[in-house]
PDB file of all heavy atoms in Angstrom:
ATOM      1  N   ASP A 221       5.106  16.384   3.186  1.00 98.00           N
ATOM      2  CA  ASP A 221       6.450  15.932   3.549  1.00 98.00           C
ATOM      3  C   ASP A 221       7.211  17.000   4.333  1.00 98.00           C
ATOM      4  O   ASP A 221       7.866  16.710   5.330  1.00 98.00           O
ATOM      5  CB  ASP A 221       7.229  15.581   2.281  1.00 98.00           C
ATOM      6  CG  ASP A 221       8.651  15.157   2.578  1.00 98.00           C
ATOM      7  OD1 ASP A 221       8.831  14.026   3.060  1.00 98.00           O
ATOM      8  OD2 ASP A 221       9.581  15.965   2.337  1.00 98.00           O
ATOM      9  N   ALA A 272       1.749  20.295  38.655  1.00 97.00           N
ATOM     10  CA  ALA A 272       1.216  20.451  40.010  1.00 97.00           C
ATOM     11  C   ALA A 272       2.386  20.401  40.984  1.00 97.00           C
ATOM     12  O   ALA A 272       3.091  19.391  41.066  1.00 97.00           O
ATOM     13  CB  ALA A 272       0.214  19.349  40.326  1.00 97.00           C
ATOM     14  N   ASN A 273       2.616  21.497  41.692  1.00 97.00           N
ATOM     15  CA  ASN A 273       3.739  21.664  42.617  1.00 97.00           C
ATOM     16  C   ASN A 273       5.092  21.807  41.922  1.00 97.00           C
ATOM     17  O   ASN A 273       6.088  22.134  42.547  1.00 97.00           O
ATOM     18  CB  ASN A 273       3.820  20.534  43.644  1.00 97.00           C
ATOM     19  CG  ASN A 273       2.946  20.802  44.849  1.00 97.00           C
ATOM     20  OD1 ASN A 273       2.122  19.969  45.200  1.00 97.00           O
ATOM     21  ND2 ASN A 273       3.106  21.950  45.483  1.00 97.00           N
ATOM     22  N   GLU A 396     -31.259  41.876  31.013  1.00 97.00           N
ATOM     23  CA  GLU A 396     -32.068  42.627  31.983  1.00 97.00           C
ATOM     24  C   GLU A 396     -33.029  41.718  32.733  1.00 97.00           C
ATOM     25  O   GLU A 396     -33.209  41.842  33.947  1.00 97.00           O
ATOM     26  CB  GLU A 396     -32.847  43.734  31.271  1.00 97.00           C
ATOM     27  CG  GLU A 396     -31.989  44.911  30.839  1.00 97.00           C
ATOM     28  CD  GLU A 396     -32.791  45.948  30.066  1.00 97.00           C
ATOM     29  OE1 GLU A 396     -33.989  45.690  29.777  1.00 97.00           O
ATOM     30  OE2 GLU A 396     -32.224  47.003  29.729  1.00 97.00           O
ATOM     31  N   GLY A 449      -2.803  39.153  16.786  1.00 98.00           N
ATOM     32  CA  GLY A 449      -2.637  39.949  15.576  1.00 98.00           C
ATOM     33  C   GLY A 449      -3.527  39.593  14.419  1.00 98.00           C
ATOM     34  O   GLY A 449      -3.482  40.241  13.369  1.00 98.00           O
ATOM     35  N   PHE A 493     -10.847  31.551  44.920  1.00 98.00           N
ATOM     36  CA  PHE A 493     -10.432  30.152  45.015  1.00 98.00           C
ATOM     37  C   PHE A 493      -9.303  29.963  46.025  1.00 98.00           C
ATOM     38  O   PHE A 493      -8.898  28.845  46.309  1.00 98.00           O
ATOM     39  CB  PHE A 493      -9.954  29.650  43.646  1.00 98.00           C
ATOM     40  CG  PHE A 493     -11.032  29.606  42.597  1.00 98.00           C
ATOM     41  CD1 PHE A 493     -11.432  30.760  41.928  1.00 98.00           C
ATOM     42  CD2 PHE A 493     -11.659  28.414  42.278  1.00 98.00           C
ATOM     43  CE1 PHE A 493     -12.414  30.722  40.959  1.00 98.00           C
ATOM     44  CE2 PHE A 493     -12.654  28.359  41.316  1.00 98.00           C
ATOM     45  CZ  PHE A 493     -13.033  29.526  40.660  1.00 98.00           C
ATOM     46  N   ILE A 504     -10.410  22.418  40.820  1.00 95.00           N
ATOM     47  CA  ILE A 504     -10.024  21.040  40.481  1.00 95.00           C
ATOM     48  C   ILE A 504     -10.206  20.838  38.976  1.00 95.00           C
ATOM     49  O   ILE A 504     -11.238  20.369  38.490  1.00 95.00           O
ATOM     50  CB  ILE A 504     -10.875  20.010  41.254  1.00 95.00           C
ATOM     51  CG1 ILE A 504     -10.736  20.227  42.754  1.00 95.00           C
ATOM     52  CG2 ILE A 504     -10.458  18.593  40.893  1.00 95.00           C
ATOM     53  CD1 ILE A 504      -9.360  19.919  43.304  1.00 95.00           C
ATOM     54  N   HIS A 505      -9.217  21.241  38.242  1.00 95.00           N
ATOM     55  CA  HIS A 505      -9.248  21.114  36.785  1.00 95.00           C
ATOM     56  C   HIS A 505      -7.803  20.995  36.336  1.00 95.00           C
ATOM     57  O   HIS A 505      -6.961  21.797  36.723  1.00 95.00           O
ATOM     58  CB  HIS A 505      -9.899  22.359  36.157  1.00 95.00           C
ATOM     59  CG  HIS A 505     -10.095  22.248  34.678  1.00 95.00           C
ATOM     60  ND1 HIS A 505     -11.311  21.922  34.120  1.00 95.00           N
ATOM     61  CD2 HIS A 505      -9.237  22.426  33.648  1.00 95.00           C
ATOM     62  CE1 HIS A 505     -11.195  21.909  32.802  1.00 95.00           C
ATOM     63  NE2 HIS A 505      -9.954  22.211  32.491  1.00 95.00           N
ATOM     64  N   GLY A 557     -21.391  38.189  -2.991  1.00 98.00           N
ATOM     65  CA  GLY A 557     -22.323  39.086  -2.317  1.00 98.00           C
ATOM     66  C   GLY A 557     -21.648  40.037  -1.361  1.00 98.00           C
ATOM     67  O   GLY A 557     -22.040  41.192  -1.227  1.00 98.00           O
ATOM     68  N   ILE A 562     -10.881  41.960   8.265  1.00 98.00           N
ATOM     69  CA  ILE A 562     -10.351  42.517   9.509  1.00 98.00           C
ATOM     70  C   ILE A 562      -8.942  41.977   9.640  1.00 98.00           C
ATOM     71  O   ILE A 562      -8.716  40.768   9.573  1.00 98.00           O
ATOM     72  CB  ILE A 562     -11.236  42.172  10.725  1.00 98.00           C
ATOM     73  CG1 ILE A 562     -10.755  42.921  11.965  1.00 98.00           C
ATOM     74  CG2 ILE A 562     -11.312  40.679  10.964  1.00 98.00           C
ATOM     75  CD1 ILE A 562     -11.736  42.879  13.133  1.00 98.00           C
ATOM     76  N   GLY A 563      -7.969  42.857   9.779  1.00 98.00           N
ATOM     77  CA  GLY A 563      -6.591  42.417   9.722  1.00 98.00           C
ATOM     78  C   GLY A 563      -6.310  41.797   8.362  1.00 98.00           C
ATOM     79  O   GLY A 563      -6.794  42.274   7.334  1.00 98.00           O
ATOM     80  N   GLU A 569     -18.201  36.005   0.539  1.00 98.00           N
ATOM     81  CA  GLU A 569     -19.449  35.255   0.676  1.00 98.00           C
ATOM     82  C   GLU A 569     -20.130  35.140  -0.684  1.00 98.00           C
ATOM     83  O   GLU A 569     -20.487  36.144  -1.304  1.00 98.00           O
ATOM     84  CB  GLU A 569     -20.389  35.920   1.676  1.00 98.00           C
ATOM     85  CG  GLU A 569     -21.673  35.130   1.881  1.00 98.00           C
ATOM     86  CD  GLU A 569     -22.406  35.458   3.173  1.00 98.00           C
ATOM     87  OE1 GLU A 569     -21.833  36.149   4.039  1.00 98.00           O
ATOM     88  OE2 GLU A 569     -23.560  34.991   3.316  1.00 98.00           O
ATOM     89  N   THR A 576     -30.947  40.155  -3.367  1.00 97.00           N
ATOM     90  CA  THR A 576     -31.715  39.553  -2.274  1.00 97.00           C
ATOM     91  C   THR A 576     -30.824  38.907  -1.221  1.00 97.00           C
ATOM     92  O   THR A 576     -31.292  38.558  -0.140  1.00 97.00           O
ATOM     93  CB  THR A 576     -32.670  38.478  -2.819  1.00 97.00           C
ATOM     94  OG1 THR A 576     -31.894  37.405  -3.394  1.00 97.00           O
ATOM     95  CG2 THR A 576     -33.599  39.065  -3.884  1.00 97.00           C
ATOM     96  N   LYS A 592     -11.627  22.081  -4.260  1.00 98.00           N
ATOM     97  CA  LYS A 592     -10.966  21.017  -5.030  1.00 98.00           C
ATOM     98  C   LYS A 592     -10.200  21.585  -6.220  1.00 98.00           C
ATOM     99  O   LYS A 592      -9.085  21.142  -6.524  1.00 98.00           O
ATOM    100  CB  LYS A 592     -11.995  19.985  -5.494  1.00 98.00           C
ATOM    101  CG  LYS A 592     -12.577  19.157  -4.365  1.00 98.00           C
ATOM    102  CD  LYS A 592     -13.332  17.930  -4.869  1.00 98.00           C
ATOM    103  CE  LYS A 592     -14.617  18.308  -5.583  1.00 98.00           C
ATOM    104  NZ  LYS A 592     -15.385  17.102  -5.998  1.00 98.00           N
TER     105      LYS A 592
END
Side-chain angles (χ1 to χ4, degrees):
D221 178 75
N273 274 126
E396 286 177 354
F493 295 79
I504 302 293
H505 186 100
I562 188 168
E569 182 160 349
T576 64
K592 291 194 291 183

